[in-house]
Amino acid sequence: MPLFALFCADKPDSLPLRMATREAHLTYMAGFRDQLRLAGPMLDDKGDMAGSILFLEAENLAAAQAFSAGDPYRQAGLFDHVHITAFKPTVGTLG
């Protein structure tokens, strides 16, 4: 199955929204455990969560986009922008 990288940057000053939505987001992610190869928060200079990076196996770009659209973080309006692209690892491993 193809691999997709999702780069999701939070809106400025949105840490409270991220924290308020985090449990719903983690529950949603758990439902895709078999497809997620690596996922976690990006950190700002202070070490606070400021975005997300995910590597997802999906049938195609449309399926990766649908996954992203269903994320409670995205539904809550947390992200300033989301970029989804096909990804081919060539060095290292993804979980």
Side-chain angles (χ1 to χ4, degrees):
M1 195 172 323
L3 189 63
F4 293 87
L6 293 79
F7 176 85
C8 313
D10 291 0
K11 292 178 180 173
D13 302 316
S14 61
L15 185 58
L17 177 58
R18 174 177 275 274
M19 297 313 293
T21 315
R22 190 161 197 261
E23 287 304 316
H25 164 76
L26 293 175
T27 298
Y28 181 76
M29 292 293 124
F32 292 89
R33 190 172 309 271
D34 292 341
Q35 290 174 260
L36 283 167
R37 293 295 154 244
L38 184 67
M42 295 184 292
L43 304 177
D44 63 17
D45 292 340
K46 296 181 286 184
D48 290 331
M49 291 181 278
S52 300
I53 295 178
L54 305 96
F55 292 90
L56 175 78
E57 285 185 348
E59 291 291 327
N60 51 41
L61 179 60
Q65 290 169 330
F67 164 83
S68 177
D71 184 346
Y73 278 166
R74 189 143 192 203
Q75 292 179 349
L78 174 65
F79 300 133
D80 181 56
H81 63 275
V82 173
H83 180 72
I84 303 172
T85 186
F87 180 78
K88 180 179 178 181
T90 56
V91 176
T93 59
L94 292 174

